[in-house]
Amino acid sequence: HLDTNGCTVGVVNGLAILQFADFSFGRPLRITAKTYQGKAGVINIEREARLSGSTHSKGVLITSGFLGDRFAKKRPMSLTVSLTIEQSYARIDGDSASLAGLCAILSSLADAPMRQDLAMTGSLSQCGEVQAIGGVNEKIEGFFQVCNARGLTGTQGVIIPATNVRHLMLAPDVVDAVSKGLFHVYGVSTVEEALLLLTGIPAGTPDNKGDYPQDTIFGRVAATLQKYAGKKSKKSDD
């Protein structure tokens, strides 16, 4: 199950590589996040099911570090996140899905639908920087093949690290579609840039008190987390 049009909260199309001997190809993956009040933090379902390699687990932990840095400096987070790669039943490794996972979490917390006509790949730093990944050509081509089989709409495309753009050596049919404006490749350097492409809503810049504007992604996330914290405080008082 993979959508290539419309918008959905907490769901993003990630990109992975499958390898068989000397042959490798890109495979789009549906990454979903559910968020609710609690104390567990980010639950990596792949790790709990013993399907997560060490590098993939590291990527999820980096995501937790980003969330804490941006939203838990004034008050502790009362948050549980259930994060998974849907329809994946084999061991998965690598941190190239960490950007997609973070965007899914932020979308869920902000109740901001994300475009399903875009797929994304990118490693994440705790500072929110998007870092280079491997197999970028195969990953782009994998999503392109799905979109092309269903019919190109002119809005579909992929989000990749800006540092990977120089390494692109795409198949001729992908290059032709991009040159005609039927498919798009976006290079981003920060999670804020990726969120704007996915949601059309600015991520938000904090003021001198560390507060984000209410009409931004980060402002909506902060409001949700404050509501969760308030419920926890009221329950403790009771």
Side-chain angles (χ1 to χ4, degrees):
H1 181 78
L2 191 79
D3 293 328
T4 53
N5 56 64
C7 296
T8 308
V9 173
V11 178
V12 64
N13 293 324
L15 296 168
I17 290 256
L18 290 183
Q19 292 181 317
F20 296 94
D22 294 332
F23 181 70
S24 62
F25 59 93
R27 178 195 173 192
L29 295 169
R30 191 167 182 252
I31 299 172
T32 64
K34 297 297 181 181
T35 55
Y36 42 93
Q37 182 189 359
K39 300 179 180 179
V42 180
I43 299 174
N44 176 9
I45 290 181
E46 265 60 46
R47 182 177 183 277
E48 298 301 316
R50 299 184 180 179
L51 294 174
S52 176
S54 58
T55 310
H56 180 261
S57 296
K58 178 182 177 181
V60 176
L61 292 172
I62 288 173
T63 298
S64 298
F66 175 90
L67 292 170
D69 177 66
R70 296 298 176 95
F71 304 109
K73 288 186 174 179
K74 290 187 175 182
R75 62 183 66 85
M77 281 195 298
S78 176
L79 174 66
T80 296
V81 178
S82 178
L83 180 67
T84 191
I85 298 174
E86 305 284 359
Q87 304 170 100
S88 175
Y89 307 106
R91 186 175 176 84
I92 188 166
D93 207 356
D95 63 349
S96 62
S98 54
L99 173 63
L102 174 62
C103 288
I105 293 169
L106 294 172
S107 166
S108 178
L109 286 169
D111 194 26
M114 291 189 295
R115 292 172 56 183
Q116 301 300 294
D117 56 357
L118 294 178
M120 67 189 309
T121 182
S123 172
L124 185 72
S125 78
Q126 289 193 112
C127 302
E129 301 156 330
V130 180
Q131 303 168 144
I133 46 84
V136 65
N137 295 296
E138 292 88 346
K139 291 176 178 179
I140 294 172
E141 291 165 2
F143 188 65
F144 171 81
Q145 289 164 7
V146 173
C147 295
N148 192 40
R150 294 180 175 180
L152 296 175
T153 63
T155 65
Q156 295 152 334
V158 293
I159 298 172
I160 66 171
T163 46
N164 275 119
V165 171
R166 59 181 292 189
H167 304 298
L168 293 180
M169 297 178 60
L170 296 167
D173 56 344
V174 183
V175 175
D176 183 60
V178 170
S179 66
K180 293 179 179 178
L182 298 175
F183 194 76
H184 307 274
V185 179
Y186 302 100
V188 299
S189 299
T190 64
V191 64
E192 288 85 353
E193 294 175 8
L195 286 169
L196 182 59
L197 284 168
L198 287 166
T199 67
I201 304 171
T205 303
D207 57 23
N208 54 11
K209 295 182 180 179
D211 297 322
Y212 294 99
Q214 294 182 356
D215 57 348
T216 63
I217 294 292
F218 289 166
R220 289 162 66 166
V221 170
T224 299
L225 292 174
Q226 184 173 0
K227 181 176 68 176
Y228 288 171
K231 290 181 178 179
K232 179 182 177 183
S233 176
K234 183 177 179 181
K235 185 176 180 180
S236 298
D237 292 341
D238 293 342

